[in-house]
């Protein structure tokens, strides 16, 4: 039972345009959501996060949107750059930020930004 | 060290062999996590330590999997009698305390033949 789903295995975008990566979840008890970025042969690195009490969080070129009623979140990258080409994982946790703990990851979306 | 160090980077094991995977977390990091990532999938939680205490091992797939962190620093994930389905990248992550400021290591790629 996949509690966090990324239905698009891959996405190709032109440099300078917007990249939108999507993620759906099934567990309404999830309290905190994160996006990780992964390059080949490296571990995932934290990108941006959002608490369930917010609907938007922005950090430079990266914005995460949360729609709790639809159990959907998305990551927007504007403008996209070739260095953004990587696999992006959505992750969720049922515990509050301060408690930490395990994360449940989606399957990942491979983003390719073409010059 | 500056990051989370995992060794070996690659391991090929014959089916039935026992393996031990090592994780050196960032110095001072209290929390340590193990995840398993199969090809084309996202990381799946295996187990979690806070210092030397194993607080959650709900993700360990069978009793062939065992993890320890005896002194609250280095951790070892042991897999006994490896099977082909154990082939995956095993990721270790650490963090200073609560929160999700995980730092992942580069992982150990285990191939069981």
């Amino acid at each position: 039972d996949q509690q966090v789903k990324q239905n698009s295995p891959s996405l190709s975008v032109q440099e300078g345009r917007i990249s939108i990566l999507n993620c759906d979840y099934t567990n309404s008890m999830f309290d905190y959501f994160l996006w990780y970025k992964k390059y080949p042969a490296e571990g995932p690195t934290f990108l941006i996060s959002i608490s369930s009490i917010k609907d938007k969080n922005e950090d430079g070129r990266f914005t995460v949107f949360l729609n709790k009623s639809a159990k959907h979140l998305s990551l927007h990258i504007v403008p996209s750059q070739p260095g953004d080409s990587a696999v992006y994982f959505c992750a969720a946790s049922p515990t509050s930020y301060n408690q930490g703990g395990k994360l449940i990851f989606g399957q990942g979306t491979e983003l390719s930004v073409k010059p | 060290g500056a990051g989370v160090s995992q060794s070996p980077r690659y391991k090929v094991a014959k089916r039935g062999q026992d393996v031990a995977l090592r994780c050196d977390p960032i110095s001072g990091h209290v929390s340590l996590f193990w995840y398993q990532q199969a090809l084309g999938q996202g990381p799946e939680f295996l187990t979690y330590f806070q210092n030397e205490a194993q607080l959650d091992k709900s993700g360990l797939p069978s009793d062939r999997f065992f993890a320890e962190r005896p002194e609250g620093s280095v951790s070892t994930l042991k897999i006994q009698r490896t099977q082909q389905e154990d082939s995956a990248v095993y990721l270790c992550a650490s963090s200073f305390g609560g929160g999700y400021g995980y730092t992942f290591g580069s992982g150990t790629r285990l191939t069981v033949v």
Side-chain angles (χ1 to χ4, degrees):
Chain A
D1 177 30
Q2 192 78 26
Q3 295 189 67
V4 177
K5 296 181 184 180
Q6 294 176 256
N7 292 316
S8 298
S10 63
L11 175 68
S12 183
V13 169
Q14 205 67 31
E15 181 179 6
R17 306 293 294 268
I18 184 171
S19 295
I20 300 176
L21 297 99
N22 293 302
C23 177
D24 296 295
Y25 61 95
T26 57
N27 190 340
S28 58
M29 298 302 292
F30 285 147
D31 189 64
Y32 205 78
F33 303 89
L34 305 92
W35 285 92
Y36 280 82
K37 176 179 178 178
K38 185 181 184 303
Y39 292 117
E42 295 183 11
T45 55
F46 169 75
L47 193 55
I48 191 168
S49 63
I50 188 166
S51 165
S52 60
I53 62 173
K54 295 186 175 182
D55 56 17
K56 177 182 174 180
N57 188 27
E58 192 172 350
D59 183 3
R61 296 186 297 116
F62 302 91
T63 303
V64 56
F65 295 92
L66 175 62
N67 182 335
K68 284 200 300 182
S69 61
K71 295 191 180 70
H72 178 83
L73 67 156
S74 60
L75 174 68
H76 292 209
I77 307 173
V78 182
S80 302
Q81 299 173 355
D84 296 330
S85 297
V87 178
Y88 289 78
F89 292 99
C90 167
S93 176
T95 56
S96 67
Y97 178 84
N98 286 334
Q99 288 181 285
K102 72 180 183 185
L103 294 174
I104 299 169
F105 285 83
Q107 309 96 308
T109 296
E110 184 171 10
L111 173 66
S112 175
V113 180
K114 300 193 183 304
Chain B
V4 177
S5 177
Q6 292 188 246
S7 60
R9 284 298 308 273
Y10 304 93
K11 176 70 179 178
V12 178
K14 290 185 178 178
R15 190 167 50 182
Q17 187 180 352
D18 296 350
V19 298
L21 312 180
R22 177 186 169 103
C23 174
D24 275 279
I26 292 173
S27 178
H29 275 196
V30 169
S31 300
L32 186 144
F33 302 83
W34 284 98
Y35 284 81
Q36 179 191 58
Q37 185 177 13
L39 190 64
Q41 300 296 316
E44 287 196 15
F45 172 80
L46 293 177
T47 187
Y48 161 51
F49 290 86
Q50 194 171 84
N51 295 306
E52 68 277 6
Q54 190 173 21
L55 299 187
D56 187 346
K57 54 181 181 179
S58 62
L60 295 176
S62 76
D63 59 7
R64 296 186 295 104
F65 287 71
F66 172 77
E68 59 183 5
R69 194 187 185 197
E71 297 176 359
S73 177
V74 171
S75 177
T76 304
L77 176 67
K78 297 179 180 178
I79 309 173
Q80 296 178 322
R81 305 181 303 281
T82 52
Q83 304 294 316
Q84 277 194 312
E85 61 263 28
D86 300 335
S87 296
V89 175
Y90 290 85
L91 293 164
C92 176
S94 70
S95 69
F96 181 73
Y100 297 102
Y102 288 15
T103 300
F104 278 92
S106 298
T108 292
R109 180 178 294 278
L110 172 66
T111 303
V112 181
V113 297

